[in-house]
Amino acid sequence: HEDYQPTRLHDIAEAARISSAVKLDVDGCIITEYFVASIVGTPVGDRLTQFGTSHGYRDTVIELEAFLAAARGFPNLTELCIPQGMTIPSPRFIEDLSRLRNFESIFIGADGVTNAHVLACLRNNSLKKLELIWCHDITRDFLDDMISTQATTLEDLNIIYCAGDSPHDDDLNRPHGITFSALLRLVRACQKLTKLHWQHEETQRRAFLITEDVAMNNQMLHILRGRGGEFHHEW
């Protein structure tokens, strides 16, 4: 049911006190800080490691205060998922969340995400996993910015349909698009990175890789496999 806002908070709190659940599915709901408060301090709230949703199957609205309440109130929270359709304000919001909780995994599909938002995630958390989807306002520069932050803890990076990305280093039609060369610099610099997934739109002008791209693709694959990981590239 889309846009469903849970209102029977007393019943939800009672269920959370007797339930053995370890996950909370909020997909398709409107989640307020009052909903979060009804679960804080219950066995379910104490067990939760993830808050938000990365499904994207239905519209989900999580109020900003609900994220802050979750970061304050769920003691084992390590994974943050900010769903598609939401709008994150300035990077200050990420900093405020991170002062309350050090996240190991962050998923962002929200609108208006910029390079500065991504860097705020990395600078203020010991991130092991970062997933970005449909973040069109970031540019390829965020990859070099990530290197400058010395993202030494990052192990898993997923970039899905971001930055108006182009797979070709010579594609002048998409000057801000992600390229193989930028990704290769990142892979070389982040020594703990073992998993990289990059998915982008297929360019109509040319759907095959040029020789230089193939070489860089193979270099990334070789480096990551040498670390026991993998590079998954698709369009």
Side-chain angles (χ1 to χ4, degrees):
H1 189 288
E2 292 186 359
D3 299 329
Y4 168 71
Q5 181 173 342
T7 56
R8 299 173 63 179
L9 300 184
H10 176 77
D11 293 340
I12 291 172
E14 181 61 28
R17 281 190 286 270
I18 62 176
S19 173
S20 59
V22 295
K23 293 184 178 181
L24 182 66
D25 186 0
V26 298
D27 189 34
C29 295
I30 299 173
I31 299 300
T32 67
E33 62 179 309
Y34 304 107
F35 172 86
V36 173
S38 71
I39 300 174
V40 168
T42 67
V44 170
D46 290 344
R47 283 192 294 265
L48 287 179
T49 60
Q50 177 182 327
F51 180 71
T53 179
S54 59
H55 297 161
Y57 302 138
R58 293 168 291 187
D59 290 339
T60 304
V61 177
I62 303 177
E63 294 182 354
L64 298 180
E65 287 298 326
F67 280 111
L68 294 170
R72 283 191 295 263
F74 298 148
N76 288 306
L77 190 65
T78 59
E79 300 179 54
L80 178 68
C81 299
I82 304 177
Q84 297 178 56
M86 289 191 59
T87 299
I88 306 179
S90 72
R92 177 71 179 272
F93 176 68
I94 300 293
E95 296 171 2
D96 291 342
L97 277 174
S98 302
R99 274 192 287 268
L100 297 169
R101 180 75 48 184
N102 180 38
F103 294 100
E104 295 182 0
S105 175
I106 294 181
F107 167 92
I108 299 180
D111 296 331
V113 174
T114 65
N115 293 14
H117 288 89
V118 177
L119 294 183
C121 291
L122 289 161
R123 287 182 177 136
N124 297 282
N125 298 278
S126 300
L127 275 189
K128 293 183 179 179
K129 182 176 182 179
L130 176 62
E131 184 167 359
L132 306 169
I133 181 169
W134 298 112
C135 297
H136 297 301
D137 292 328
I138 66 174
T139 70
R140 76 178 66 161
D141 294 336
F142 91 93
L143 295 169
D144 287 322
D145 290 340
M146 286 175 66
I147 295 173
S148 71
T149 67
Q150 298 181 342
T152 56
T153 58
L154 193 63
E155 300 174 3
D156 191 338
L157 176 62
N158 296 326
I159 305 172
I160 314 297
Y161 299 122
C162 290
D165 45 22
S166 166
H168 306 299
D169 289 326
D170 65 346
D171 191 346
L172 301 180
N173 294 322
R174 299 183 180 184
H176 301 295
I178 293 170
T179 61
F180 282 96
S181 58
L183 284 173
L184 180 57
R185 288 193 297 273
L186 180 72
V187 168
R188 286 171 170 164
C190 296
Q191 296 296 314
K192 286 193 175 181
L193 187 65
T194 57
K195 295 181 180 179
L196 176 58
H197 179 199
W198 178 33
Q199 184 172 356
H200 53 82
E201 295 179 3
E202 180 179 1
T203 59
Q204 295 182 359
R205 183 172 63 86
R206 185 177 61 202
F208 57 86
L209 299 181
I210 61 176
T211 303
E212 291 81 0
D213 293 336
V214 171
M216 286 183 282
N217 180 88
N218 291 340
Q219 286 181 62
M220 282 186 280
L221 188 60
H222 176 74
I223 293 171
L224 293 174
R225 282 181 175 175
R227 298 172 185 169
E230 60 186 1
F231 173 43
H232 186 52
H233 169 226
E234 62 180 319
W235 47 53

